[in-house]
Amino acid sequence: MKPPPFEHYEPRTLDEALELLRRYGGEAKILAGGQSLMPLLNFRLSRPAALVDLNRIPSLAGIREADGRLRIGAMTRQRTIEFSPLVRDRLPLLREATSLVGHLPIRTRGTIGGSLAHADPAAEYPAITAALDGELVVRGPGGERLLRPAEFFVSYLTTALAPDDVLVEVRLPVAPPRSGWAFEEFSRRHGDFAIVAIAALVVADGPRCQVARLAAAGAGATPIRLQGAEEILQREGLSDRNLAAAAERAAELVQPDGDLHASAAHRRQLTRVLTQRALRRARELSQGAQA
Ligand SMILES: Cc1cc2nc3c(=O)[nH]c(=O)nc-3n(C[C@H](O)[C@H](O)[C@H](O)COP(=O)(O)OP(=O)(O)OC[C@H]3O[C@@H](n4cnc5c(N)ncnc54)[C@H](O)[C@@H]3O)c2cc1C
């Protein structure tokens, strides 16, 4: 199918984009990589009067490190993240998760900001942002504000972004020294959205655990930070028994719904299995880095 007619704008600055969004009073949509929006338009599930295309605003793309964080512009292509030496060296968990987003042609167009703003609960970037408690930088008519994942992700495909807001940047803390990480997901075919995915990062100190970060995708209406499971590891350490206890707790913390892909019980079981698998791999990498 073809999309319904719309005006197409290519602003050259963020201020110009914000002015266009304000002028359309909620009737315009932002166009980033188009990998989620264009199918919605083609199926006529979305009928905006105008598209405000961010692809000609260079200041919105790029990756740099500042204050212990990677600052990733919203229009940074997923492929750029996948092949960034800075991401490889400073936040390899993000690189691993990126390689699981769809297929290479999708990652070549798709942006990190588009994925976060689209807020599919099974998507990889929202889970990473939740696990690392990243910051989302939003510009709107009232200026700039910083949101945490728990504030930003509201429900299925719903965020705290107003129609005239632009997600400008996401800031993710770099991995601490000697950390280990893993992004584990279960999907029917390579490149499909995950049925459930788990992001894990730990810093081992012998059998003890200095830092644990865990989040689930595909197991509720938003990505879910698994704080209760992190606490078990930080309190009790990284023995096999504690990894199993953390995985058990993770399965209690998620709030999955059943759908045609998997029942709620199946998603809970996947959470248990993938958490344990991710933690084992993360522990091994971190303990290897201490040697
Ligand atoms: C076959 C297929 C498989 C896929 N598999 C996966 C997968 O496994 N995992 C996964 O995570 N994704 C997957 N995707 C989705 C893909 O990653 C998209 O790139 C992503 O969801 C949206 O990014 P985009 O840049 O294309 O955004 P767009 O499609 O352009 O926009 C998506 C939404 O976000 C809004 N938006 C975009 N940028 C901003 C911004 N800066 N500020 C405010 N609002 C904004 C748009 O208005 C729109 O509502 C898949 C897509 C396809 C077609």
Side-chain angles (χ1 to χ4, degrees):
M1 279 175 74
K2 284 187 183 162
F6 52 79
E7 298 295 328
H8 180 230
Y9 295 96
E10 293 187 322
R12 305 293 156 137
T13 65
L14 180 56
D15 284 339
E16 226 183 294
L18 287 165
E19 170 53 25
L20 282 162
L21 292 169
R22 189 201 59 77
R23 200 193 308 160
Y24 273 88
E27 295 301 317
K29 289 235 47 112
I30 289 171
L31 175 66
Q35 298 303 297
S36 297
L37 183 58
M38 292 317 294
L40 290 176
L41 296 183
N42 287 342
F43 283 114
R44 303 199 170 206
L45 295 169
S46 178
R47 294 169 170 270
L51 292 189
V52 178
D53 185 338
L54 301 185
N55 284 278
R56 301 272 185 276
I57 309 179
S59 63
L60 286 178
I63 309 172
R64 65 194 171 93
E65 185 178 348
D67 309 324
R69 289 177 166 73
L70 290 188
R71 295 178 171 212
I72 308 177
M75 284 300 291
T76 309
R77 306 285 170 198
Q78 295 154 6
R79 187 171 190 277
T80 304
I81 295 170
E82 186 176 4
F83 293 105
S84 156
L86 190 59
V87 172
R88 179 196 62 210
D89 295 343
R90 309 298 276 150
L91 193 51
L93 172 64
L94 178 64
R95 184 183 198 226
E96 182 170 320
T98 301
S99 68
L100 298 169
V101 177
H103 303 277
L104 192 61
I106 289 158
R107 300 196 291 272
T108 302
R109 288 300 304 165
T111 65
I112 189 168
S115 173
L116 292 165
H118 189 61
D120 191 308
E124 287 81 2
Y125 290 134
I128 294 283
T129 308
L132 301 177
D133 198 21
E135 293 166 338
L136 298 125
V137 184
V138 175
R139 275 278 300 276
E144 189 168 288
R145 60 194 199 278
L146 276 188
L147 297 178
R148 294 288 183 173
E151 303 161 309
F152 184 83
F153 297 108
V154 174
S155 188
Y156 289 98
L157 308 181
T158 308
T159 68
L161 289 170
D164 49 4
D165 280 337
V166 177
L167 174 63
V168 174
E169 186 176 88
V170 57
R171 297 177 184 163
L172 300 173
V174 299
R178 299 184 308 283
S179 55
W181 68 90
F183 197 94
E184 286 285 345
E185 75 176 41
F186 179 80
S187 57
R188 287 198 185 281
R189 296 169 308 186
H190 173 72
D192 281 3
F193 269 100
I195 291 180
V196 172
I198 299 290
L201 182 142
V202 301
V203 180
D205 177 9
R208 287 191 294 276
C209 176
Q210 283 178 358
V211 176
R213 295 279 178 272
L214 275 171
T222 62
I224 299 178
R225 170 112 181 252
L226 301 167
Q227 239 165 327
E230 295 171 358
E231 282 161 16
I232 291 175
L233 300 168
Q234 287 170 171
R235 197 175 54 236
E236 313 281 343
L238 292 167
S239 68
D240 282 345
R241 196 163 61 93
N242 295 333
L243 263 50
E248 201 55 50
R249 184 78 187 106
E252 289 164 6
L253 289 169
V254 292
Q255 297 141 13
D257 287 322
D259 59 22
L260 78 169
H261 300 297
S263 67
H266 187 199
R267 286 178 196 270
R268 219 178 268 287
Q269 172 65 0
L270 283 170
T271 302
R272 187 179 291 113
V273 170
L274 295 174
T275 301
Q276 204 163 351
R277 200 176 285 172
L279 284 172
R280 282 211 179 110
R281 197 149 63 81
R283 175 184 64 181
E284 198 172 311
L285 274 177
S286 180
Q287 288 178 340
Q290 332 265 309

